[in-house]
Amino acid sequence: MAPKLAALAVLASLLGAVSCESPLSIYAIYGYDPPNPNQPYPLPPVLPPKNPNPELKVGYYVQKNCPQAEDIVKRAVKEATAGEKAGLIRLHFHDCFVEGCDGSVLLEKVANMPDPEKLGLPNLSLRGFNIIDQAKATLEKECPETVSCADILAFAARDASKSLSYGAIDYQVPAGRFDGNVSLASETFGKNLPPPFGSIEQITGMFAAKGLNQTDMVVLSGAHSIGRSACGSFANSFSNRLLPDNSSTAMNRTLADQLSKTCTTDSVNVPQDYQTPYTLDHQYYKNVLSHNVLFNSDAVLESSQTKVLVDSYARDPPSFLGIFPIGRNAWYDAFGQAMVKMGKWDVKINLDQGEIRKVCGYVNKKP
Ligand code: HEM
């Protein structure tokens, strides 16, 4: 069984064993402290980036005698399913937030080494690894040891965004990242990756720790207009968004009732956006305003700090005769710009800091 499927099967069996009624939660199973909404979630320290202005370049691989690099990635992404494309966008985000954008999320478990990021709790449901491996295999034939896995991931996230938005999101990716060789599951949940039960202060703080401001955070959260979530990510024994709740961030009752029926176990997957589940669009912001979002971290974007932005991204552009849009919603360009900004976080830019892996799942063997 492919490693991705094996990881999902393990997750499904573990989560399946802990339905909402069970005293054990997914957090306890993995040895994590359960979230306590009354206690502040530990925020990662806001440290200066290792490379504050990394010299990444658009067209980098043209200069490196591999002008076909981006086309090869594009072709691999074209073959991906809509779900894998959603997975590729999330993969890039999870890569950048842990050890910087250095392909560390792609590394496999190696005997006698600590578990890699891939085995961290939030990463067990990642998908799209096969698309990266496929692109890398072709690239190694055509331009051996030239194109980093970190760059392949950044290109693939861009191509997936373009495809899922039907061309509305289209940006250029500065490249020249090197691959890292540190990858620790212990750096994921509870450290660097924001939790779905996070408050506005928590998620803002966790993005700030990666050089991203609150606007970037609101813009990038729009990626939750595609893909899926396991029920256990928003309804578990410690934090259950399906229960009746009078707070201002409560889930829309109709959606909560519908999901209560669908979510028979924590491992059942549901779409994040019921309106346009396969299109990366500004529907997400309408869903935030109508409380039709799955996570607390989505719902809190309606807070006073970010509401103006959410309101503006939720608005459809004016149209001629109610059919032809005039102008376009600003979110689509903002999303591309925020992805480029995120993609520069803590990158490795030379052989002293990283390497060009030959296979994305493993660091190169030392001679
Ligand atoms: C505010 C912080 C965020 C939190 C707490 C969060 C949390 C989550 C969770 C819990 C899931 C569902 C996982 C599962 O149960 O399978 C998910 C899915 C997803 N997230 Fe986020 N996320 C955040 C920000 C982002 C950002 C910045 C991006 C990309 C730019 C992103 C892209 C996605 C995508 C595309 C999916 C669906 C993946 C798939 O279908 O395979 N998320 N997120």
Side-chain angles (χ1 to χ4, degrees), residues 7 47 52 54 73 77 91 101 106 108 116 129 154 171 189 202 206 208 242 247 314-315 332 334 339 361:
L47 300 171
V73 178
V77 174
L91 258 179
C101 314
L106 304 171
E108 299 288 349
F129 294 98
Y171 57 94
F189 182 78
Q202 287 162 354
M206 296 191 85
L242 302 184
S247 75
R315 226 168 285 138
Y332 296 87
M339 288 289 276

Side-chain angles (χ1 to χ4, degrees), residues 83 86-87 89-90 93 125 127 194-196 203 207 217 220-221 223-224 226-230 233 269 272 295 297 335 339 342:
I89 298 171
R90 186 168 179 235
F93 158 52
S125 57
R127 48 182 173 164
I203 56 172
F207 275 68
M217 190 263 289
L220 290 169
S221 295
H224 286 178
I226 40 156
R228 66 182 186 193
S229 169
S233 295
N269 282 310
Q272 302 213 72
F295 311 130
S297 60
F335 186 78
M339 288 289 276
M342 179 177 81

